[in-house]
């Protein structure tokens, strides 16, 4: 936006310069808006209006238009290149949006993940293009390598990983949590307060601002039976809780 505004500002400067040279008959027949439009086009496409003569002070105006267009073009290329590089970095880091609907989302990382994914692969065998998206607070390359070793055959199911915090609403957007068919919340492995982390994740999902009208279909496990009711309340009844000591 800033570059566009600067371009129009410079076009205004050149327009003012041309209007001061109204003695040329071709300019006097043009309105101010027409002159402004011609100079704006010249700035953006590295050209000069056809009616501008090749003599006198007009040569300085032409040179100014040409140099300005080169500057604007270079800056525009720089912005596009920078944006492209950032997009590539986001893809490599697993920070880009997953454009799928009706998929299964897995929140968290656990040693049992490979077994869970294997069961999903079997369940999705009748589907032509099923997707499972894993969001965990880990490096994407590490996750991809681990899953490639433990689950090399995936049938019709595509497994996508994204690096992020399941408690962060922005990171939940990366996996399109609202468009998911089901959500599996994995407890943190080895944590003494794993139930608390699970409950926080459930609250993050249902508490996230959304346009989704139907309830979520979430599944998770709770170690302490005393926390079952709390987990149900945190998920507003939108979760199936399994009691587990593992």
């Amino acid at each position: 936006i800033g570059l566009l505004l600067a371009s129009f500002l410079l076009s205004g400067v050149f327009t003012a310069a041309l209007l001061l040279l109204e003695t040329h008959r071709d300019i006097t027949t043009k309105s101010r808006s027409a002159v402004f439009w011609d100079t704006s086009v010249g700035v953006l496409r590295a050209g000069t209006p056809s009616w501008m003569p090749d003599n006198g002070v007009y040569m300085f105006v032409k040179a100014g238009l040409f140099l300005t267009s080169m500057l604007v073009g270079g800056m525009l290329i720089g912005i596009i290149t920078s944006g492209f590089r950032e997009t590539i970095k986001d893809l490599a880091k697993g920070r880009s949006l997953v454009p799928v609907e009706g998929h299964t989302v897995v929140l968290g990382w656990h040693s049992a993940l490979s077994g869970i994914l294997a069961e999903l692969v079997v369940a999705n065998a009748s589907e032509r293009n099923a997707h499972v998206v894993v969001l965990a607070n880990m490096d994407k390359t590490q996750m991809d390598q681990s899953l490639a070793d433990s689950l090399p055959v995936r049938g019709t199911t595509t497994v996508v990983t994204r690096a992020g915090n399941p408690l962060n609403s922005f990171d939940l957007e990366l996996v399109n949590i609202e468009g998911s068919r089901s959500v599996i919340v994995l407890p943190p492995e080895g944590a003494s307060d794993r139930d608390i982390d699970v409950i926080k994740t459930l609250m993050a999902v249902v508490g996230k601002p959304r346009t989704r009208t139907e309830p979520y279909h979430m599944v998770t496990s709770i170690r302490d039976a005393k926390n079952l009711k709390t987990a149900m309340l945190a998920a507003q009844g939108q979760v199936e809780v399994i009691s587990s000591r593992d």
Side-chain angles (χ1 to χ4, degrees):
I1 296 176
L3 180 60
L4 184 61
L5 292 176
S7 299
F8 281 120
L9 179 61
L10 290 172
S11 298
V13 172
F14 285 113
T15 299
L18 288 172
L19 291 176
L20 291 176
L21 303 174
E22 286 184 337
T23 53
H24 189 271
R25 60 182 181 84
D26 289 333
I27 298 181
T28 55
T29 60
K30 288 181 172 289
S31 64
R32 294 182 179 181
S33 59
V35 175
F36 177 76
W37 173 255
D38 287 344
T39 54
S40 297
V41 172
V43 168
L44 295 176
R45 69 177 180 86
T48 57
S50 59
W51 45 261
M52 191 181 298
D54 294 327
N55 53 55
V57 72
Y58 291 103
M59 295 299 297
F60 293 99
V61 177
K62 281 190 172 184
L65 275 173
F66 179 77
L67 293 176
T68 301
S69 65
M70 291 295 99
L71 176 63
V72 171
M75 293 176 64
L76 183 59
I77 292 174
I79 292 173
I80 295 175
T81 303
S82 177
F84 181 75
R85 288 176 179 173
E86 289 300 320
T87 300
I88 296 298
K89 288 182 181 179
D90 286 343
L91 289 173
K93 294 179 180 179
R95 298 297 297 170
S96 60
L97 177 67
V98 181
V100 294
E101 297 277 346
H103 56 299
T104 298
V105 173
V106 179
L107 301 178
W109 189 270
H110 195 277
S111 59
L113 177 59
S114 296
I116 294 173
L117 292 177
E119 293 181 8
L120 290 173
V121 168
V122 174
N124 294 333
S126 60
E127 298 185 27
R128 178 174 297 181
N129 191 22
H131 286 82
V132 178
V133 184
V134 180
L135 175 67
N137 199 10
M138 292 178 58
D139 178 71
K140 174 177 170 58
T141 303
Q142 182 181 353
M143 288 189 285
D144 289 340
Q145 185 60 55
S146 177
L147 293 178
D149 295 337
S150 60
L151 191 69
V153 180
R154 305 176 187 181
T156 60
T157 300
T158 300
V159 180
V160 181
T161 60
R162 285 294 178 265
N165 184 357
L167 299 179
N168 187 298
S169 60
F170 176 78
D171 291 346
L172 291 175
E173 287 283 352
L174 294 178
V175 298
N176 190 18
I177 195 78
E178 289 193 42
S180 65
R181 177 177 58 187
S182 58
V183 180
I184 300 174
V185 179
L186 298 179
E189 200 164 15
S192 58
D193 56 350
R194 48 169 278 176
D195 287 355
I196 301 300
D197 288 335
V198 168
I199 291 172
K200 287 181 178 179
T201 302
L202 295 174
M203 292 177 64
V205 174
V206 298
K208 174 186 170 297
R210 56 176 176 165
T211 57
R212 179 183 176 124
T213 56
E214 67 272 17
Y216 286 105
H217 178 211
M218 295 187 288
V219 179
T220 191
S221 65
I222 292 292
R223 174 181 293 175
D224 192 338
K226 296 179 181 179
N227 294 324
L228 289 174
K229 185 176 181 180
T230 303
M232 291 295 295
L233 290 174
Q236 300 177 15
Q238 303 174 55
V239 64
E240 180 183 346
V241 181
I242 302 171
S243 180
S244 173
R245 291 283 180 181
D246 300 329

